[in-house]
Amino acid sequence: MKIARVESFHVDWGGGSPSAWVRIWTDDGRYGLGESSPMAGGNASLEIVAHQFAPLLIGADPLDHAVIQERLFYTHVKTGPDGAFAGALAAVDLALWDLTGKILGQPIYKLLGGAWRTDLPFYASIGGNARRSPEEVCRVVETWLPLNPALIKIRLDADRTARDADIEGDLARIRAVRRLVGDSFPLAFDANNGYSVQGAIRVGRALEELGCAWFEEPVNHLHMDSFEKVAGALDIAVAAGEQEYTLQGIRRLIDAGVDIVQPDIVKTGGFTGLREMAALAKAHGVDLVPHQTQPTVGHTANLHFVAALAFSHYPCEWNDPSGRQNVVFARPVFPADGLFSLSTAPGLGLEIVEERLTERMRLWKTGG
Ligand code: CA
């Protein structure tokens, strides 16, 4: 069995930026689905897959996915190793694991060694709060509560070129949410890299008083020394990792004293990359709680990964739901009673309605 065709395409869901998907076909008519990080439409990742990766994939055995990933990485490493390049690797890797599961007739969590759980609690990842008043933040949180999230994370998503822009306002927002949900409800706070070291320590101490579970990306993601100072000064768990793309990047965060690492399956080489990061985190006794704000294929891939992850005591991230998630799937991926459930269907277990995909697929045309 060989890889016969590689499709790189957008899925236009009728809203904002499209999803960036890869579909890899074998010569006996099976396919696997993958997704890259859709930042800026995932355009650069789709270009890398279509132009640089596809020629190396055609003719390969899809079961050789780990060999394929190393070959793709080192053949084209000068395009990366971070950012869109890692997103392209991830899309291919997810598609090859999906395909492998279909060939072997097993869900991916079985290929990973088995599931500790197939019903997975989620946390509500609520973005855009820097632009809301405390009352407005609470109104948005209220819309999530009927879905029974296991934790609520308040993300600021403030201007990335500003720093310490509204610390008083930020504290007012998280205090309002604490009052709304009560003292015992699990909360987390995501600064999206918005603070100086001193600002972060001030906010972090307030978060400790409010009993928050973690403090995410307090400082500029490029400044490892700043992470070290903040993590060293605070008792609250400091989290980061969504802007790291390599095993070495995650190691730098662990070396800086970050307590929770958050690599993302659509940015870090898919299952193959994330497994290595999980082993690294395990070796250091650091929690790995994957970032996952890009719904559709990546969301379900992340569920499979977390299903098979030992020592996983935090819920899975679920980002602001949109029409993006289920536009072409036969069975919507949606939580019931606060849980996402994985089936025993092979691969990712996602079934596409081909007519719907045909309507929404925008094939990527490489210029090369
Ligand atoms: Ca984040």
Side-chain angles (χ1 to χ4, degrees):
M1 186 184 311
K2 293 187 181 339
I3 295 171
R5 192 153 61 96
V6 179
E7 292 177 308
S8 311
F9 56 94
H10 280 136
V11 178
D12 177 1
W13 60 281
S17 183
S19 298
W21 284 19
V22 166
R23 179 154 69 163
I24 298 180
W25 292 85
T26 57
D27 54 4
D28 66 351
R30 286 186 255 221
Y31 70 80
L33 282 177
E35 179 175 24
S36 82
S37 174
M39 298 298 173
N43 292 6
S45 294
L46 292 183
E47 172 63 22
I48 290 166
V49 173
H51 191 197
Q52 298 184 27
F53 289 178
L56 290 170
L57 289 165
I58 303 298
D61 181 340
L63 298 179
D64 292 342
H65 45 78
V67 172
I68 289 170
Q69 174 151 147
E70 295 283 13
R71 183 162 288 140
L72 294 176
F73 182 90
Y74 284 106
T75 302
H76 290 293
V77 69
K78 289 182 187 296
T79 307
D82 290 345
F85 180 74
L89 284 173
V92 168
D93 187 79
L94 298 185
L96 293 179
W97 277 82
D98 186 29
L99 199 41
T100 298
K102 288 171 177 169
I103 292 166
L104 300 178
Q106 296 292 334
I108 289 175
Y109 60 77
K110 286 284 189 189
L111 305 183
L112 293 168
W116 292 89
R117 56 201 82 80
T118 52
D119 295 323
L120 297 113
F122 75 93
Y123 76 79
S125 182
I126 305 177
N129 291 300
R131 296 178 293 280
R132 297 185 180 119
S133 70
E135 294 72 27
E136 288 168 338
V137 176
C138 288
R139 297 297 83 76
V140 177
V141 170
E142 282 173 338
T143 66
W144 278 86
L145 294 175
L147 296 170
N148 292 324
L151 176 150
I152 286 171
K153 183 171 91 184
I154 300 298
R155 307 191 334 251
L156 290 180
D157 294 323
D159 177 0
R160 285 189 176 275
T161 63
R163 189 164 292 175
D164 295 347
D166 186 17
I167 287 180
E168 286 306 321
D170 298 341
L171 293 176
R173 292 176 184 95
I174 190 70
R175 283 181 180 133
V177 175
R178 173 51 84 205
R179 280 194 298 276
L180 173 73
V181 298
D183 287 342
S184 60
F185 195 96
L187 283 181
F189 184 77
D190 184 352
N192 300 106
N193 317 101
Y195 298 133
S196 66
V197 169
Q198 293 71 29
I201 292 171
R202 182 176 162 209
V203 171
R205 286 187 179 137
L207 298 177
E208 287 168 356
E209 281 181 24
L210 291 167
C212 290
W214 75 77
F215 185 12
E216 183 166 326
E217 293 205 296
V219 290
N220 187 313
H221 75 279
L222 296 171
H223 296 168
M224 289 298 145
D225 292 351
S226 298
F227 273 107
E228 192 166 346
K229 289 174 186 169
V230 172
L234 294 174
D235 294 327
I236 188 173
V238 171
E242 70 182 83
Q243 299 185 82
E244 297 297 340
Y245 301 87
T246 62
L247 187 62
Q248 292 75 16
I250 295 300
R251 193 192 72 179
R252 285 192 289 273
L253 285 174
I254 292 172
D255 288 347
V258 163
D259 305 283
I260 298 173
V261 290
Q262 302 170 299
D264 187 319
I265 202 164
V266 300
K267 298 179 178 176
T268 54
F271 290 101
T272 304
L274 208 50
R275 278 181 109 181
E276 293 181 344
M277 293 172 185
L280 182 67
K282 188 178 179 183
H284 286 87
V286 167
D287 281 315
L288 183 132
V289 185
H291 175 266
Q292 181 45 231
T293 58
Q294 327 303 345
T296 82
V297 181
H299 176 82
T300 295
N302 184 58
L303 296 177
H304 279 267
F305 184 81
V306 175
L309 186 64
F311 307 111
S312 180
H313 57 106
Y314 286 112
C316 294
E317 181 163 21
W318 193 33
N319 183 50
D320 307 312
S322 70
R324 177 197 298 272
Q325 183 152 345
N326 290 307
V327 284
V328 300
F329 295 143
R331 284 179 300 282
V333 179
F334 202 79
D337 297 327
L339 300 170
F340 283 99
S341 295
L342 289 172
S343 74
T344 58
L348 290 165
L350 293 169
E351 187 186 334
I352 281 178
V353 180
E354 285 296 333
E355 307 82 71
R356 281 196 235 156
L357 181 60
T358 302
E359 271 173 33
R360 295 178 175 277
M361 182 193 263
R362 309 285 181 264
L363 276 176
W364 186 258
K365 301 277 193 290
T366 175

